[in-house]
Amino acid sequence: MTALLENEILLLIGIAALVFGGYKLKALAASGAVGTLLVGILIALGFKGYGLLLIGLFFVTSSYWSKYNRKQKESITDMHEKGSQRDIMQVFANGGVPALLGVLAYLFPADYWIYGFVAAIAVANSDTWASEIGSLSKKRPFSIIQMKTVDPGTSGAISLLGTLASVAGSALISVVSYFFWSEINLTITLLLTAMGVMGCFIDTFLGATVQSAYRCKVCGKLVEKTEHCLQPTQLVKGNSWVNNDVVNISSILIASVITILILM
């Protein structure tokens, strides 16, 4: 058995372990497990084992924070379209851009694909940490559009705790990537951290402006669901086709493209 074949087998085992673990821990729905398998293969194609370790780090830490203090987050979860188990669309929303960059890195090898890949993971981790940790803040978040405090979990709102979590989440991915790839130096690490946070704020801006929001006709709550209290909800903001998944993939793509253009 050649060393190349052995490496490919190890990568497949790593992907399978990530998918199986995520499904058994109920972090992935069945469709999410299929999506994760595909995303993992495409990432491994271009970025090998380090790429898988980086996306795995995002998956493990974000899943932990999603489940951390879940009881306190129940009212916020009720507002969101989907729960803590990622389906295939949520997987593609966070992993679609990294997977695409994996294919491009395989077909057209260049250092800048690495930078775009790390930035994409940094944005996803930054946004997830900001949402999950920020929702635990004792102070109400502040809407960047309405310029007033709003209910926790409202799209387009920020808090001090969430902002600090955003920086920490992005920094974790960027610093780890520094030890993975010799192409990444300290200056680039700082830039990647900044791009991850910028992507998170792009996500917040899109969430505040174009993401759909609905009003429950029964309880009057502002939610992301088309149905609440067993009744259809009314669209009161944004576009109906722009849900959280669309906002996530858009912010990740924008930040990754900007990073690649800067470092090409």
Side-chain angles (χ1 to χ4, degrees), residues 5-19:
L5 182 57
E6 289 177 352
N7 288 337
E8 290 175 344
I9 291 174
L10 287 174
L11 288 175
L12 287 173
I13 292 174
I15 296 168
L18 180 65
V19 172

Side-chain angles (χ1 to χ4, degrees), residues 210-230:
V210 298
Q211 183 176 342
S212 58
Y214 300 85
R215 181 76 65 185
C216 177
K217 298 176 183 178
V218 178
C219 68
K221 198 172 186 178
L222 193 66
V223 297
E224 296 178 0
K225 304 175 180 180
T226 56
E227 183 178 297
H228 194 261
C229 294
L230 302 179

Side-chain angles (χ1 to χ4, degrees), residues 41-77:
I41 290 172
L42 296 180
I43 287 174
L45 195 65
F47 303 113
K48 310 303 179 188
Y50 285 148
L52 287 180
L53 287 173
L54 203 65
I55 193 73
L57 179 62
F58 155 69
F59 178 71
V60 170
T61 59
S62 61
S63 296
Y64 171 78
W65 287 119
S66 294
K67 294 183 179 297
Y68 179 79
N69 214 341
R70 200 71 205 164
K71 193 152 191 171
Q72 186 177 334
K73 299 176 182 176
E74 284 180 356
S75 61
I76 297 174
T77 304

